[in-house]
Amino acid sequence: MSPFFLEAVAADNYVAFTFFIGTMAMMAASVFFFLELNNTDKAWRTSVLVSGLITFIAAVHYYYMRGYNLETGDSPTFFRYVDWLLTVPLMCVEFYLITKKSGGTIGLLWKLIFASVVMLVTGYLGETILKEQSVLWGVISGAAYFYIVYLVWFGEVAKLATAASPAVAKANKTLGWFVLVGWAIYPLGYILGTPGGLFGMVLVEDVAAATGAMDIIYNIGDAVNKIGFGLVIYALSRSESK
Ligand SMILES: *C/C=C(C)/C=C/C=C(C)/C=C/C1=C(C)CCCC1(C)C
């Protein structure tokens, strides 16, 4: 067995352990979604397939993030953003797919994807290359985030979901909570990691421990946000088929 494996399952390395569990959970979820495609109505197959793609992409990234973390002891910020850049737009695709039958347009799809890419690219700039202006980039990223929240809760997505069916409306509400509460952990992590800490206060003295804690929170949050999100879509596909 590789020493990395042993280190990852060492009882005191919680950060690496959550990367390990994350990989397994995302893999298991992907297998589940892919195998369930056979039992899914044609009209809902693409939605369930996208759920599986989201967790599959995350599983591969978690595998790499675990190795990176074990080798360097650092946060795999770059891999996280690559993972988000692929999975968050796919989550936006889910909103388009569930509202397509009631009039969701390609225009709406692009609005959602564009907002998510702006949110992530500006967030990455603020967290890495342009750290001195992290507040500015964080605010731009946050505006794009709230635009997505707005679309899902009150805008086009909400209206089309209500028009589609009670089951779609209900699922959209649940997905809306994921976006509003589940996704909020990421900007919180960004704020805590910003130089000077939250609102200029120095909150933590042990930066390495704080970074590790943040990784654990992201890892748990990711599992909830990606697998949970996929399961809401899966449940909707069941309630809408015979
Ligand atoms: C599976 C991964 C998900 C759902 C990731 C979502 C990430 C975000 C909602 C990130 C948002 C950010 C802001 C709103 C401002 C600060 C920068 C970010 C990128 C952390």
Side-chain angles (χ1 to χ4, degrees):
M1 239 175 271
S2 90
F4 285 154
F5 177 82
L6 294 175
E7 214 183 310
V9 294
D12 59 347
N13 193 344
Y14 299 112
V15 179
F17 183 67
T18 56
F19 277 116
F20 184 76
I21 290 285
T23 310
M24 290 303 154
M26 298 289 187
M27 265 168 56
S30 310
V31 171
F32 174 77
F33 291 131
F34 290 149
L35 289 183
E36 282 297 306
L37 282 174
N38 263 337
N39 310 321
T40 304
D41 260 23
K42 238 191 166 120
W44 287 94
R45 244 172 241 173
T46 315
S47 301
V48 175
L49 172 67
V50 172
S51 291
L53 289 177
I54 291 167
T55 51
F56 179 73
I57 292 168
V60 176
H61 282 83
Y62 264 78
Y63 179 78
Y64 279 98
M65 290 199 286
R66 177 185 143 267
Y68 179 93
N69 176 259
L70 282 173
E71 276 187 66
T72 66
D74 286 341
S75 270
T77 307
F78 177 74
F79 282 123
R80 268 212 201 280
Y81 272 90
V82 177
D83 173 290
W84 294 353
L85 205 53
L86 295 167
T87 55
V88 178
L90 279 175
M91 292 172 145
C92 293
V93 170
E94 296 282 28
F95 286 112
Y96 162 72
L97 289 173
I98 65 169
T99 56
K100 203 173 146 197
K101 275 172 234 105
S102 54
T105 61
I106 294 285
L108 172 64
L109 174 64
W110 282 116
K111 265 186 238 173
L112 287 161
I113 290 180
F114 181 72
S116 66
V117 171
V118 168
M119 173 180 88
L120 296 169
V121 170
T122 53
Y124 184 73
L125 291 177
E127 196 162 335
T128 57
I129 310 167
L130 301 168
K131 237 184 154 129
E132 302 81 56
Q133 299 132 26
S134 63
V135 174
L136 170 70
W137 295 109
V139 168
I140 299 172
S141 175
Y145 167 68
F146 280 117
Y147 179 60
I148 299 173
V149 171
Y150 164 78
L151 284 176
V152 171
W153 276 86
F154 313 106
E156 249 174 290
V157 176
K159 283 174 197 140
L160 292 169
T162 307
S165 76
V168 172
K170 192 170 150 238
N172 189 63
K173 254 277 130 60
T174 312
L175 296 177
W177 281 110
F178 275 96
V179 174
L180 185 64
V181 179
W183 292 17
I185 61 161
Y186 307 101
L188 282 177
Y190 181 95
I191 292 169
L192 291 170
T194 289
L198 188 60
F199 307 123
M201 289 183 289
V202 179
L203 284 179
V204 283
E205 276 165 22
D206 187 346
V207 175
T211 310
M214 214 48 240
D215 269 320
I216 293 174
I217 293 170
Y218 277 179
N219 291 353
I220 295 167
D222 268 3
V224 173
N225 286 330
K226 292 186 165 71
I227 300 170
F229 200 96
L231 285 173
V232 173
I233 296 288
Y234 172 78
L236 175 61
S237 79
R238 298 295 108 160
S239 68
E240 291 281 273
S241 3
K242 270 129 246 141

